[in-house]
Amino acid sequence: MTHPGVRQVTWRAALARRRDLTRLAGWSLVEAIPALLSGYLVAHAVDEGFLTGRPVTGLAWLGALAAAVLLGAAATGRTYRCLGAVVEPFRDELATRMVRGALHDATRPGAHPDNAALARLTHQLEIVRDTFAGLLMVTRGFLFAAGAALLGLLALAPVVAALAAAPLAAGLAVFLAALPAMITHQRTYVRTGEHLSHSAATALTAHRDVLACGAQTRVTTDVDQQVSAQATAERTLARMAAIRSLSLGIGGWLPLIVLLIATPWLVERGLTAGAVLGALIYISTGLQPALHTLLQGIGGGGLRYLVTLENILRTYPEPDTTHPTRTHTPPRSTTNPTPAAEIRNLTFRYGPHARPVLDNLSLTLNHGDHLAVVGPSGAGKSTLAALLAGLLPPQTGTVHLAGHPVTGTEPTILATRRVLVPQEAYIFTGRLADNLRYLRPDADDHTLETAIDTLGARPLATRLGGLTAPITPALLSSGERQLIAAVRAWLAPAPLVILDEATCHLDPALEATVEDAFARRPGTLVVIAHRISSAIRAHRLLVLDGTEPQAGTHEHLLEHSTAYRLLVGHWQDRTTPPLPTPTRPG
C-alpha cells in the first residue's frame, strides 16, 4: 500500500487547482472529438460514399474527419498549457516543503546538514514533477479517448459497444488487482538499488583496508548478496511487466478478436461493412492505444511517482503546528533574579582530538548587562556566540537562557529568547518593510520608522525609497545589509541580542549609533567586538585568548590582562583614539 500522505498530498494539489483542472478537462474534451467521430465518419464515408459509387460524398465525410483532427490537434496544445498551471505550483509547494524541512533539521540543536537534501531537491523532486504530469496526461487521455471511443461505438452499433466494453473492464480489473504488488516490488527495487550502491561504494573506497585486513571474501560476499537482491527485485518487476501485457491483451486486443469473430453474425443482423470498419477504427485507434498508454503510464511513471513522493513525505513530514504562535513578549524586568544567560563549565572543540576552543568556561549575564567579547582571531568568540544562541550544542557543560536550557529547545522557542546578528547579514529580496518585520511581524509602520531613526538608518531608507521600496540584496553594500539587519534585530522581541561583529562594515560613527541604540534597548546585549570603541562602550569585557578567560571592566583588564593590553595597543595602532564611554541610562 502507499503512504497515506501520498494520497492526501496529491488530492490536495488537485483540489487547490480545480479551475485549471476544469480547463484541462474542457480542452481534453475538445481533443477527444476525433476519437468520438472517427469511426462514425469513416462508416458513413464507406456506406454512403465509396460503396455506392459516390466518391465525392465519401471524401466529404473524410474531410469532416480531417477538420475534427485539426481541431483536436489545436486543443492538444492548450492541454499542455493547462497541465503546466497544475504541475508547476505543485512542484513549488513540494520544493518549499523540502527546503523548509531541510533547514529545520539542519538548525536543530546538535543537528548536522543533510547532504542528501540537495539530491532530493534536484533529482527526486523532478521525478515527482515529471511523473505527476505524466499521470495526469495518461489518466485524462484514457478517460476521454476511451470514453469517446465507447460513445462512438454505442452510436454506431450498441451491440459492438457491449462486446468491446466487457474485455476492457476485465483487463482493467486484472491490472488494478496487481497494482498493490507492483507498488511493493517497485519500492523494494529502489531500496535494493540504494543498498547496492552503498555497499559497492564502501568496498571501493576502502579497498586498501580490505586487502590489508584480508577481508576480500567477506566484502565480496556482502556485495554479491546486494547484487543478488537487486537482481531478484528486477526480475520481479519484469514479471509485473508481464501482467501489464496480459492486461493489455485482455482489454486491448481481445475486443478486436471478439469483433472479428462476431463479424459474420453481426452482418447477418444488418451491420454494414462501413459500420464494421468504423468499429475496428474505434477499437484499434481509440480503446487500444488509450489502454496501452494508461497501463504503461501507471505501471512505469505512476509507480515511480508513488515511491519517490512517499520517500520525500517520509523525510519531510508535515510541519508541526502545535507550537504556540510567537508573539511580542516584553523583556523580563531587570530585577528578575533569574540570569538572562548562564554558562556553566562549558567546553567545546571542533573534532574529538582537537584542542578545546572553549575550555570549562563559566559566565553569568544578568538582565540589562552589556558584555563585549574580545580576543584574537580563532580564540572562540564566534563559537561562544553560536553556543549562547543555541546554534551549536555544548559538548560538556550547560547553556541556559532565562533559566531554560538551549539544548533541545525548538528554534521557534529560541527565537523568542535571543536574536543573533552575524557578520554576514542576510537580506532577502522584497520590500524594506518586509525585511524589517521579519522577526516582528506585528510591528506597524510607525514602529519601523522609529527604529530606523534610532539606529541612524534614515539616510539609507530615504535613498532606497522608504518602507514600501523593493530592495535587491546584491545591489546593497555589506554595510547597508548590516544596517538593515541591525534594525531588524533591534525590533525583535527577544530580550537577548548577540552582535557577532555585526557592525564591522559600518563607519565608526554609525557603529557607535547602532551599539548605543542596542545598549539603550531593554534587555541584555553581547557584542563580539572588533574595535576598541565597542569594548569601551560595554559594561564588562570577556577576553578570550586561548588560555584562561578573563572578565572585568576596561580599566581592570588594562591593569591585569597582558593579552588585553596587547589587543588594545594593536587596535590603537590602526584606529583613532576612542571617544569617551557614553553613559547608559538606567
Side-chain angles (χ1 to χ4, degrees):
M1 297 300 293
T2 63
H3 192 280
V6 173
R7 296 189 296 273
Q8 295 171 2
V9 168
T10 304
W11 184 245
R12 191 185 309 148
L15 289 180
R17 279 159 283 278
R18 291 188 295 269
R19 182 177 178 182
D20 294 311
L21 283 175
T22 301
R23 292 172 54 225
L24 177 62
W27 285 112
S28 298
L29 187 62
V30 177
E31 185 187 25
I33 289 177
L36 177 65
L37 299 179
S38 58
Y40 183 84
L41 294 176
V42 168
H44 281 275
V46 171
D47 291 336
E48 300 177 12
F50 300 114
L51 289 183
T52 59
R54 292 184 292 176
V56 175
T57 302
L59 291 174
W61 284 107
L62 294 181
L65 177 58
V69 170
L70 291 176
L71 181 61
T76 299
R78 296 288 184 175
T79 60
Y80 280 98
R81 294 185 183 181
C82 299
L83 180 68
V86 175
V87 172
E88 293 304 323
F90 178 52
R91 175 193 178 278
D92 293 343
E93 289 173 2
L94 281 179
T96 301
R97 177 173 181 161
M98 294 170 71
V99 170
R100 183 184 294 117
L103 291 176
H104 179 270
D105 291 342
T107 54
R108 286 183 305 176
H112 299 282
D114 182 5
N115 294 327
L118 182 61
R120 296 189 190 100
L121 187 62
T122 58
H123 179 61
Q124 295 186 14
L125 182 60
E126 294 306 311
I127 290 177
V128 170
R129 191 269 301 270
D130 293 343
T131 52
F132 180 57
L135 280 175
L136 282 177
M137 292 301 284
V138 300
T139 303
R140 64 98 207 176
F142 173 78
L143 292 176
F144 286 95
L150 287 175
L151 285 176
L153 280 173
L154 191 62
L156 190 64
V159 64
V160 177
L163 291 175
L168 176 65
L172 286 174
V174 170
F175 177 76
L176 293 176
L179 191 58
M182 293 181 185
I183 295 172
T184 300
H185 293 307
Q186 178 72 26
R187 187 184 296 119
T188 302
Y189 173 72
V190 170
R191 291 176 180 173
T192 55
E194 291 176 349
H195 294 160
L196 173 59
S197 176
H198 175 75
S199 179
T202 302
L204 291 174
T205 54
H207 67 280
R208 293 183 179 179
D209 294 335
V210 171
L211 291 174
C213 298
Q216 298 96 315
T217 302
R218 178 180 177 182
V219 173
T220 303
T221 301
D222 179 66
V223 175
D224 181 66
Q225 289 175 348
Q226 301 299 334
V227 171
S228 299
Q230 190 187 35
T232 300
E234 197 159 355
R235 285 193 293 268
T236 303
L237 280 182
R239 288 194 291 271
M240 294 295 101
I243 293 179
R244 292 202 300 270
S245 299
L246 175 63
S247 302
L248 178 61
I250 296 174
W253 289 101
L254 189 56
L256 281 175
I257 296 173
V258 171
L259 177 61
L260 292 175
I261 293 175
T263 295
W265 178 77
L266 293 171
V267 171
E268 288 178 0
R269 281 158 179 76
L271 195 67
T272 64
V276 172
L277 180 59
L280 289 172
I281 289 175
Y282 276 129
I283 294 174
S284 61
T285 65
L287 288 179
Q288 190 184 84
L291 181 62
H292 179 268
T293 303
L294 179 71
L295 298 183
Q296 293 298 324
I298 294 181
L303 295 183
R304 290 195 299 274
Y305 171 80
L306 292 173
V307 173
T308 306
L309 182 56
E310 179 184 77
N311 182 56
I312 291 174
L313 297 182
R314 183 183 295 110
T315 306
Y316 305 110
E318 288 282 0
D320 185 4
T321 58
T322 59
H323 296 296
T325 303
R326 186 176 65 200
T327 57
H328 180 53
T329 305
R332 292 176 180 266
S333 168
T334 56
T335 61
N336 193 318
T338 304
E342 189 173 21
I343 295 172
R344 285 289 173 263
N345 309 119
L346 179 65
T347 298
F348 186 87
R349 67 183 80 216
Y350 292 98
H353 304 295
R355 179 182 63 84
V357 179
L358 299 172
D359 190 10
N360 199 34
L361 173 67
S362 294
L363 178 69
T364 299
L365 292 172
N366 294 317
H367 294 273
D369 265 357
H370 179 180
L371 174 75
V373 183
V374 300
S377 178
K381 304 186 297 296
S382 293
T383 300
L384 176 61
L387 288 162
L388 193 58
L391 301 183
L392 289 175
Q395 291 159 351
T396 61
T398 59
V399 178
H400 286 74
L401 299 182
H404 302 281
V406 298
T407 302
T409 302
E410 286 292 323
T412 52
I413 304 301
L414 279 176
T416 66
R417 297 172 183 163
R418 57 90 182 106
V419 56
L420 170 66
V421 187
Q423 179 178 346
E424 296 300 325
Y426 174 73
I427 304 299
F428 56 84
T429 300
R431 299 187 309 158
L432 176 61
D434 296 332
N435 273 276
L436 300 183
R437 286 194 180 101
Y438 183 69
L439 300 176
R440 177 91 176 274
D442 61 336
D444 56 25
D445 287 352
H446 175 71
T447 303
L448 299 186
E449 298 284 2
T450 301
I452 288 172
D453 291 330
T454 302
L455 279 83
R458 176 58 60 189
L460 174 60
T462 301
R463 186 184 69 78
L464 293 176
L467 292 176
T468 60
I471 58 175
T472 302
L475 301 180
L476 299 175
S477 68
S478 298
E480 289 170 337
R481 291 196 295 270
Q482 283 191 334
L483 188 55
I484 293 173
V487 177
R488 174 199 296 162
W490 191 86
L491 286 164
L496 171 64
V497 176
I498 306 168
L499 303 180
D500 185 5
E501 297 195 17
T503 58
C504 63
H505 296 299
L506 304 180
D507 62 70
L510 187 54
E511 179 186 57
T513 299
V514 170
E515 288 190 8
D516 184 60
F518 276 102
R520 289 183 286 108
R521 176 184 183 272
T524 306
L525 177 64
V526 176
V527 178
I528 307 301
H530 65 285
R531 290 185 179 129
I532 188 175
S533 53
S534 297
I536 293 177
R537 277 189 288 267
H539 294 170
R540 286 194 299 154
L541 293 100
L542 175 67
V543 181
L544 301 177
D545 66 342
T547 59
E548 184 73 21
Q550 292 180 279
T553 64
H554 171 68
E555 293 76 12
H556 173 83
L557 291 173
L558 279 177
E559 182 177 351
H560 296 92
S561 173
T562 302
Y564 184 66
R565 284 197 301 271
L566 292 173
L567 190 60
V568 170
H570 171 71
W571 275 336
Q572 289 181 331
D573 285 342
R574 58 189 178 91
T575 61
T576 58
L579 297 173
T581 307
T583 302
R584 185 185 185 193

